[in-house]
Amino acid sequence: MLDFEFKNPTKIIFGKNKIASLAKEIPAKAKVLLLYGGGSIKENGIYEQVTTALEQHEVVEFGGIPANPEYAVLIEALKVIKSENITFLLAVGGGSVIDGTKFLASAALYEGNDPWDILAKPIRTEIGMPFGTVLTLPATGSEMNSGAVITRAALELKLGMGGPGLFPQFSILDPQVIASLPHRQIANGIVDAFTHVLEQYVTYSVGASLQDRIAEGILQTLIETAPIITKDPGNYEAASNLMWSCTMALNGLIQKGVVSDWSIHAIGHELTALYGIDHARTLAIICPSLYRYKIETKKEKLAQMATRIWGINEGTSLEKATIAINKIEEFFRSLGIATSLKIYTKTYQMAPELISRRLETRGWIALGEHKDITPSDVEKIVEMSL
Ligand code: NZQ
Ligand code: ZN
């Protein structure tokens, strides 16, 4: 196992009707900016629960943060934070609203001239404005980590940021919110969380048995829960297992003491920036091809996965690894998620060259746990994903 330090200060408040406990978590004298997305919270009762809980607080609202949170919209919210002297941010939404709020938590205290530098350079956020979240969509793990990904459509960019100052102070996780989610978002959430685990597991072994077992536990729970929750989003037991699995997949725990990869995400973000494809779907497109391309270096972990998750005991490591990749792809497809780029866009032909060139221009010269995935490898991987 590798050396590590682990600190995760986010308080999780998990369970039925926990949104009611919101007021206790925010200082009574705080001036709160309630941030939300395109309006789903006004249709499913979450907005009402939040505003009722905050009746005694001074609250200003900012809605309209789109999926793949847009920089230009967030700059409008930043103006509100400054003009209204906001002291506490409350994100009510999925990964997009929470990530947008993290950008604001950083930008509100940023002393430089241009908040874009936080993303473009990027600048690590040591101290951010305090914020909490009410999670409405289990997927990203953003509710218990300190990272965010922000889109700037005008520049066709989707860039990451983060730092220890960007952990939510608290996150309220009420699995009942899943009941109003469309199938597309539930499927996305499952694939996103599944791939988060893969990016921290399908590398090479460093003898970290516990991390491996926790990772495999999350994968197994997602596989078991997927058919139940997609059929019946109101099933509370399945909803709670999905929600906690998604949080655990990316709250830092399984990444500690092991080697991680994140190249599927790096390439996937380019697909979102270029074609507007949902985040999780970009992962489903890239993952099987990347693993097929890198099977030699990843085969031991993939074979372990085949044995422990799908009970495959026969064959060489290479044969088992091949089965694991096919099973991963089948799992994504079982959720109705296509794994080839051409299903999502008519202008796919240029993607391999375009993406490798964009990554190269930004100085991403080597991805992967061995830092051996070069721009020309990226080109071949995207080619295989068409
Ligand atoms: O905007 P509204 O109207 O609220 O609708 C949203 C949105 O259209 C809807 N929704 C959310 N909760 C709902 C609901 N509809 C009905 N009932 C509910 N309870 O779902 C749609 C998608 O929401 P979004 O927040 O975009 O989805 P998700 O949580 O998948 O977040 C995706 C974003 O997170 C980033 C992605 O790149 C993407 O930008 N990620 C963030 C990460 C992090 N911070 O750690 C890690 C991930 O790898 C990922 O990159
Ligand atoms: Zn993701």
Side-chain angles (χ1 to χ4, degrees):
M1 193 185 303
L2 309 179
D3 297 348
F4 65 89
E5 291 182 9
F6 184 50
K7 181 177 179 187
N8 189 318
T10 301
K11 175 179 178 182
I12 295 293
I13 303 160
F14 189 101
K16 275 186 188 168
N17 306 326
K18 293 296 181 193
I19 296 174
S21 62
L22 198 48
K24 287 190 294 201
E25 303 303 325
I26 302 178
K29 290 212 165 69
K31 188 163 182 189
V32 182
L33 184 62
L34 191 178
L35 294 136
Y36 57 93
S40 68
I41 62 164
K42 295 206 167 157
E43 284 155 27
N44 56 21
I46 296 173
Y47 174 82
E48 206 179 342
Q49 290 179 58
V50 168
T51 47
T52 306
L54 291 180
E55 249 161 22
Q56 305 299 321
H57 280 79
E58 194 178 353
V59 180
V60 177
E61 292 182 19
F62 186 94
I65 297 175
N68 303 313
E70 166 55 41
Y71 182 76
V73 175
L74 297 171
I75 290 300
E76 293 307 310
L78 186 59
K79 289 179 193 159
V80 176
I81 292 174
K82 296 199 168 153
S83 65
E84 296 279 348
N85 296 316
I86 298 295
T87 61
F88 197 96
L89 306 176
L90 179 65
V92 182
S96 294
V97 173
I98 299 175
D99 282 11
T101 301
K102 287 178 180 173
F103 170 76
L104 293 169
S106 174
L109 303 189
Y110 180 61
E111 286 172 352
N113 290 330
D114 185 359
W116 178 242
D117 289 343
I118 300 168
L119 289 146
K121 289 196 170 163
I123 296 168
R124 193 174 138 93
T125 305
E126 298 295 338
I127 300 172
M129 181 180 260
F131 70 100
T133 89
V134 173
L135 182 67
T136 67
L137 195 178
T140 63
S142 188
E143 66 279 5
M144 199 179 175
N145 68 40
S146 59
V149 197
I150 305 296
T151 294
R152 192 166 181 181
L155 305 182
E156 283 189 332
L157 286 174
K158 186 171 185 191
L159 301 178
M161 58 175 285
L166 293 181
F167 282 99
Q169 290 203 341
F170 65 84
S171 283
I172 299 186
L173 276 57
D174 180 347
Q176 294 175 123
V177 299
I178 293 172
S180 69
L181 278 170
H183 178 276
R184 168 177 165 180
Q185 299 304 340
I186 295 178
N188 282 355
I190 294 167
V191 169
D192 193 20
F194 198 87
T195 313
H196 291 159
V197 178
L198 295 180
E199 298 254 49
Q200 301 164 89
Y201 172 87
V202 183
T203 57
Y204 56 89
S205 177
V206 290
S209 307
L210 181 61
Q211 288 89 326
D212 278 6
R213 297 279 188 198
I214 298 172
E216 289 153 3
I218 299 170
L219 295 174
Q220 261 164 334
T221 307
L222 289 169
I223 291 168
E224 278 168 21
T225 307
I228 306 168
I229 196 70
T230 46
K231 211 165 151 216
D232 178 13
N235 180 320
Y236 185 80
E237 189 175 299
S240 52
N241 281 313
L242 172 62
M243 195 168 240
W244 190 227
S245 294
C246 291
T247 303
M248 285 293 288
L250 198 53
N251 65 3
L253 189 66
I254 62 169
Q255 184 154 10
K256 294 299 159 188
V258 302
V259 186
S260 46
D261 183 345
W262 299 112
S263 49
I264 300 168
H265 272 72
I267 304 170
H269 290 328
E270 296 303 307
L271 289 177
T272 301
L274 285 170
Y275 305 110
I277 302 169
D278 289 356
H279 169 64
R281 286 161 201 253
T282 69
L283 308 176
I285 294 166
I286 299 300
C287 174
S289 305
L290 190 137
Y291 287 172
R292 287 188 180 112
Y293 189 77
K294 295 302 292 178
I295 196 161
E296 268 308 316
T297 50
K298 289 181 179 290
K299 68 181 176 210
E300 298 305 333
K301 272 320 230 345
L302 283 164
Q304 178 176 316
M305 189 179 171
T307 301
R308 293 191 184 173
I309 308 281
W310 289 293
I312 309 296
N313 292 305
E314 304 294 318
T316 62
S317 292
L318 194 61
E319 284 161 353
K320 289 182 190 164
T322 306
I323 294 172
I325 299 169
N326 293 340
K327 292 269 186 198
I328 293 169
E329 190 163 29
E330 259 171 49
F331 178 56
F332 294 162
R333 289 185 180 162
S334 75
L335 291 159
I337 295 197
T339 53
S340 356
L341 182 61
K342 60 165 80 73
I343 308 284
Y344 297 90
T345 170
K346 288 198 179 78
T347 54
Y348 59 87
Q349 290 90 343
M350 289 299 290
E353 201 197 324
L354 204 54
I355 290 175
S356 74
R357 200 162 3 100
R358 282 163 60 93
L359 290 174
E360 195 169 19
T361 312
R362 294 216 303 280
W364 291 59
I365 38 170
L367 302 173
E369 69 273 21
H370 295 288
K371 295 274 163 274
D372 61 352
I373 303 181
T374 64
S376 90
D377 294 314
V378 169
E379 192 170 336
K380 288 176 193 131
I381 291 162
V382 180
E383 187 80 49
M384 287 165 68
S385 312
L386 295 182

